[in-house]
Amino acid sequence: MYTGNLLGFGLAVSSSAFIGSSFIIKKKGLQRAGACGTRARSGGYGYLLEPLWWIGMFTMVVGEFANFIAYIYAPAVLVTPLGALSIIVSAVLAHFLLNEKLRRMGILGCVLCIVGSTVIVLHAPAEHSLSSVEEIWDLATQPAFLLYAASAIALVLVLVLYCEPRFGHTNMMVYIGVCSINGSLTVMSVKAIGIAIKLTLEGSSQVARYQTWIFVMVAVTCIITQLNYLNKALDTFNTAVVSPIYYAMFTSFTILASAIMFKDWSGQSISTIISVLCGFLTVLSGTMILHSTREPDPQPISDMYSSLSPQISWIVRANGEIWKYKDNDESCPEVVAIIQPDHFR
């Protein structure tokens, strides 16, 4: 295994461990905050005063930083699929710390993720050596990648301007499509920024090069858009369905963009390419199995009663009978209590 790939692999695994742990730590913090105040899902912000939640946030930042450094030393085709290992970490920790049982099919999903990741690592191509940000700029402005970038931007505009107003609340592929396509451009820009920082630290400053700041602006724009639409997807649709589909599309577009821009597969044999793709499909299968075995979060009480009509209340009579009571009913003898839908909110 190449030295750069080995370092990138170690950083990517460390990143997954930190990010997977951060989910559990933040959830424990949310539970503590919700026990003595309004829960976050009900609009509360008490978790901001909970130290455990901030520890989880710090852990996530460390993980994302390690992931950023990993892109400097290893190709995206190696680093991006390894993000699935964070799911294993969170699933195992949730089993012991949150009493969210990891069933047999969940264990099978973990094993598949590990096997697929191992195949990817063993067959991943080596990172190309770049000596200046101008070389990265030349790769980004080659006709093949310009065609990909233009197609990606055009597709995002179609999804945002045409599809979102019509199908955004009923078809999750609209939001996930925007996130995934933007995500591939984000990774390419972040990788370029990381290489520029690495070269600067080695003594060849890239700060004054205008290409560096173009990559920074592209990365910031794509990250903001990506996070905005990912939040929309998670808020509108079931997380257990959104997560594996987003992982599959994001990783697929990232591998495609990296193959076009950095020519990851140049000089690689057909068997090596097929092995990496098979490893990715194995990781994807494990991810989907893990999410399909997740226990759904308990439904808030307010949501359970939200389907009750606001025009109808429930009355409890002296003889124990329960009757529906409409707002226009004038007589209601022997009423002990009137329970309205707002009572449950």
Side-chain angles (χ1 to χ4, degrees), residues 156-168 174:
V156 167
L157 290 176
V158 170
L159 290 173
V160 171
L161 300 177
Y162 179 81
C163 297
E164 182 184 358
R166 294 169 176 80
F167 315 111
V174 175

Side-chain angles (χ1 to χ4, degrees), residues 72 132-133 136 190-202 204-207 212 215:
I72 299 176
S132 69
V133 75
I136 309 173
V190 166
K191 187 173 179 65
I193 295 169
I195 294 174
I197 293 174
K198 176 188 175 185
L199 293 172
T200 300
L201 294 176
E202 291 176 348
S204 177
S205 178
Q206 306 294 311
V207 177
T212 302
F215 285 127

Side-chain angles (χ1 to χ4, degrees), residues 177-325:
V178 175
C179 294
S180 303
I181 297 169
N182 263 289
S184 66
L185 298 178
T186 299
V187 171
M188 298 303 103
S189 301
V190 166
K191 187 173 179 65
I193 295 169
I195 294 174
I197 293 174
K198 176 188 175 185
L199 293 172
T200 300
L201 294 176
E202 291 176 348
S204 177
S205 178
Q206 306 294 311
V207 177
R209 312 297 176 94
Y210 73 91
Q211 295 95 333
T212 302
W213 297 104
I214 292 178
F215 285 127
V216 170
M217 289 187 292
V218 172
V220 171
T221 303
C222 291
I223 288 172
I224 292 174
T225 305
Q226 185 180 353
L227 291 177
N228 179 39
Y229 280 89
L230 181 58
N231 286 332
K232 287 185 178 182
L234 293 173
D235 189 49
T236 307
F237 303 100
N238 191 330
T239 305
V241 180
V242 170
S243 296
I245 294 178
Y246 172 62
Y247 170 80
M249 292 184 63
F250 168 68
T251 306
S252 299
F253 279 113
T254 299
I255 291 175
L256 176 61
S258 183
I260 295 174
M261 179 172 171
F262 292 99
K263 297 180 173 60
D264 292 330
W265 304 115
S266 178
Q268 302 295 315
S269 64
I270 296 298
S271 61
T272 299
I273 297 174
I274 293 176
S275 296
V276 173
L277 294 178
C278 287
F280 167 61
L281 292 175
T282 304
V283 172
L284 175 60
S285 301
T287 303
M288 298 188 72
I289 291 175
L290 262 175
H291 279 282
S292 67
T293 58
R294 277 184 46 183
E295 295 180 356
D297 293 332
Q299 189 178 18
I301 293 178
S302 60
D303 292 343
M304 294 170 60
Y305 293 96
S306 60
S307 59
L308 292 176
S309 170
Q311 305 300 322
I312 299 176
S313 302
W314 297 85
I315 66 172
V316 181
R317 303 184 63 181
N319 60 1
E321 295 179 349
I322 299 177
W323 292 72
K324 287 183 179 179
Y325 170 72

